[in-house]
Amino acid sequence: RLFSSEKLTQRDHSLPNPSWSKDLRLLFDQFMKKCEDSSWKRLPSYKCESSQRVQDFKTHFLDPKFMNEQTVHGQLFTRSFEDGLGFEYAMFCNDAEKRIVCLFQGGPYLQGVPGFLHGGAIATIIDATTGMTALLAGGIVMTANLNINFKRPIPLCSTVVLNSQLDKVEGRKFFVSCNIHSVDGKTLYSETTGLFIKLDPDKRLK
Amino acid sequence: MPSQPVTVSSSNHLQSDIKDYSLPNASWSPVMVGLYNEFMEKTVDGSWTRLPGCWRSVQFLKEKDLARIAKAVPVQMIEDARLFLRIAEMERLGFEYVIFHNDSEKKCVCLFQPGPLLEGLPGIVHGGALGTMIDTTLFMTAYNSANAVFTGTMTITFKSPVILGSVVRLEAKVTGAEGRKVFLFCEAQSSDRTTLFAEASAIFFQMK
C-alpha cells in the first residue's frame, strides 16, 4: 500500500520522454490542443496505481485468504519497461463521446515475429485501452471477452493510434470496440470488440 | 510491505542469447516443478518434446521461414529487439514458462507462472499478460504442427482471475484447417485443472 506522499512523487508516464518518435510527439501535441476546451482530457498513468478506486477494489473484492505474506506485490504490466523499450503510450478521453484515443509506440522489447510487435503485446495495449474506456464509464471492471481481428502485422517501433468506443451498457456489462490505425489513417491494423464486467459489489472474487 | 518498483532495462545480452529459459530455476514454485517433471517423463518416449525458451525471436523460427516472412511482409529489423516474453532477465519477475509439444496430437501444453511485472488489478494477472501466454501457446502449436506464423483472429473469454505467482496450465490444439487457415483452441486452467481461467479460439495463417 502506498502512502499519499509516495503518490505525489510517482512519475506520470503518459508524458513525452526522449524515446518518443516525432510522430508520437506530434500526435500528443495535437491532442493536448484538443484538451484546451476541456472536451478532451489526458489520462495520467502510473506504475503503481494508488487511486481510491483501486484501494476500494483491494478492500472489497480481494479475498484476504488469498493475500498472504507470499502474495506477490506487483506493478502495472504496461509500465514495467525503461523508457522506449516497451509500451510508450498516452491516452486521451472524450467524456461526451465516451471514447478514448491511445497513442502507442511499441518498443524493441515487444517483438514477436522478427520485425513485428508480438500479438500478445498488441492484445495488451488493446486490453488496456478498451479496459480504460469501460472503467471510465463503470468503475472497476474486469475483462470478460476480447475478440481481436489482426488484419496486418504492426512493425516494431512504429507509432499507431487506437480508437476505442463504448458501444453499449447492459446492467453490469460494458461493450467496447477498438480499431488500430497507422498515423496517416491509411492502414487498418486490427479491429476488436470486447466485453467488460463491472464487479458485483456484493461478491468477493473467488 | 510494498516492494521497490522494478524496471526492465536494456542490457548486454550476449550471455542471455544462448541460455535456455524454459528450465526450472529457483523462482519456480513446487507446483510448477512438479508439473514440469510430469511432462519431462512424457518426453522420454518421444511423443512429447520440450521446446527451448529463447531470448531472440529468430531462434524459434526456421531459417527458411524467416526468409519467407521477410519476403511476404518486408520490414526493417531492429537491432536491439527482444522477444516480448523475455521482459525480465531476472527470474520470477515476468513470464516463467515452458512449452511441451505433442506432434501426433497437434497440441502444446504450456506451464506458466506469472510474476509481479505482469499485474493488472492489484495482485491479479493483467488480461494482456494472460493473452500473451495464450497467443504464444497458440503460436507454438500453429507453427510446430501446421507451419502457420501470423495470428489472424483471436477470441479470448476470461472466466476467472489469475492470482500473480500461481501456476497456469495452458493447452492449445489444432482443431481444423481450410486453405491457408489453421483453426485452434486453447484452454488456460489451474494446475489441478479444476478452475478454468480462460478459453480462446484462434485462426492462424500459413505462409504462401
Side-chain angles (χ1 to χ4, degrees):
Chain A
R1 207 165 69 79
L2 289 175
F3 299 107
S4 55
S5 56
E6 282 181 63
K7 186 194 172 148
L8 286 176
T9 58
Q10 262 212 94
R11 179 182 159 192
D12 178 350
H13 287 268
S14 286
L15 290 168
N17 67 59
S19 77
W20 283 27
S21 68
K22 210 166 71 156
D23 275 344
L24 186 55
R25 282 179 174 277
L26 270 167
L27 278 168
F28 179 82
D29 290 340
Q30 265 171 40
F31 274 88
M32 284 308 285
K33 268 214 140 48
K34 291 191 209 251
C35 293
E36 281 167 14
D37 68 356
S38 299
S39 58
W40 286 85
K41 208 165 52 191
R42 187 189 67 85
L43 300 176
S45 174
Y46 305 101
K47 264 199 211 298
C48 301
E49 189 50 71
S50 55
S51 69
Q52 190 53 51
R53 220 161 14 204
V54 166
Q55 293 310 309
D56 286 347
F57 169 80
K58 281 171 153 163
T59 323
H60 293 124
F61 296 106
L62 292 181
D63 194 328
K65 81 165 183 277
F66 281 121
M67 303 289 138
N68 51 36
E69 333 62 65
Q70 267 106 45
T71 299
V72 177
H73 290 283
Q75 60 184 54
L76 188 60
F77 182 33
T78 51
R79 293 297 181 199
S80 285
F81 296 79
E82 207 169 80
D83 287 357
L85 296 178
F87 298 89
E88 288 297 333
Y89 63 96
M91 294 193 206
F92 293 83
C93 72
N94 183 317
D95 264 339
E97 294 175 25
K98 301 252 181 286
R99 62 191 189 94
I100 286 188
V101 167
C102 175
L103 312 173
F104 170 53
Q105 177 185 297
Y109 285 13
L110 303 187
Q111 180 162 265
V113 168
F116 297 103
L117 281 185
H118 194 286
I122 299 172
T124 297
I125 195 68
I126 290 173
D127 185 46
T129 306
T130 49
M132 185 58 77
T133 310
L135 182 139
L136 289 179
I140 294 288
V141 291
M142 292 187 93
T143 324
N145 179 281
L146 277 178
N147 186 337
I148 307 174
N149 188 347
F150 297 92
K151 291 191 167 273
R152 288 199 66 79
I154 301 179
L156 202 58
C157 299
S158 61
T159 300
V160 294
V161 180
L162 288 88
N163 278 292
S164 175
Q165 176 81 49
L166 179 68
D167 291 328
K168 187 170 61 168
V169 180
E170 261 174 27
R172 285 189 295 115
K173 291 186 184 172
F174 291 78
F175 296 85
V176 194
S177 57
C178 178
N179 293 333
I180 305 184
H181 286 101
S182 55
V183 171
D184 62 11
K186 291 186 185 158
T187 309
L188 173 63
Y189 290 110
S190 77
E191 289 176 320
T192 301
T193 54
L195 170 62
F196 288 79
I197 311 272
K198 185 184 166 82
L199 299 186
D200 185 339
D202 295 325
K203 282 201 202 129
R204 280 191 181 275
L205 292 174
K206 272 191 294 187
Chain B
M1 258 233 317
S3 41
Q4 280 296 102
V6 177
T7 310
V8 178
S9 51
S10 59
S11 53
N12 177 354
H13 38 242
L14 280 175
Q15 192 54 40
S16 317
D17 259 9
I18 52 176
K19 184 178 158 181
D20 182 339
Y21 288 84
S22 289
L23 291 168
N25 62 56
S27 77
W28 286 26
S29 68
V31 172
M32 181 81 170
V33 176
L35 274 173
Y36 171 84
N37 288 332
E38 222 180 273
F39 276 88
M40 283 308 286
E41 285 282 303
K42 295 186 207 261
T43 63
V44 171
D45 68 356
S47 57
W48 287 84
T49 317
R50 186 188 68 87
L51 301 178
C54 26
W55 183 259
R56 296 190 177 286
S57 306
V58 294
Q59 291 167 320
F60 60 73
L61 289 162
K62 299 187 208 92
E63 194 84 42
K64 61 176 170 74
D65 292 327
L66 283 169
R68 283 164 82 189
I69 294 167
K71 201 157 165 241
V73 265
V75 76
Q76 184 184 6
M77 287 298 137
I78 307 289
E79 208 183 286
D80 291 325
R82 191 199 278 193
L83 179 61
F84 183 37
L85 296 155
R86 299 270 72 95
I87 67 170
E89 278 179 72
M90 276 158 58
E91 18 186 86
R92 188 186 70 89
L93 297 177
F95 296 90
E96 288 292 343
Y97 71 96
V98 55
I99 302 180
F100 294 88
H101 176 239
N102 184 316
D103 203 29
S104 59
E105 293 183 49
K106 296 199 195 302
K107 69 180 186 189
C108 279
V109 166
C110 170
L111 310 176
F112 169 43
Q113 184 181 287
L117 295 184
L118 310 187
E119 185 178 78
L121 285 169
I124 289 177
V125 176
H126 196 284
L130 183 57
T132 296
M133 209 66 251
I134 289 172
D135 183 49
T136 299
T137 310
L138 286 166
F139 166 84
M140 287 301 177
T141 313
Y143 185 58
N144 287 295
S145 296
N147 217 44
V149 170
F150 285 106
T151 323
T153 65
M154 182 166 70
T155 300
I156 310 176
T157 302
F158 298 90
K159 303 245 180 209
S160 194
V162 180
I163 309 283
L164 291 177
S166 62
V167 177
V168 181
R169 180 194 188 280
L170 298 96
E171 183 166 321
K173 56 176 177 270
V174 175
T175 54
E178 192 186 284
R180 284 195 301 122
K181 287 190 196 172
V182 180
F183 299 90
L184 302 113
F185 184 71
C186 178
E187 279 184 323
Q189 299 172 310
S190 55
S191 51
D192 61 7
R193 309 189 72 176
T194 58
T195 305
L196 179 63
F197 295 122
E199 55 188 21
S201 58
I203 299 176
F204 273 68
F205 287 96
Q206 292 173 328
M207 288 173 288
K208 279 194 251 237

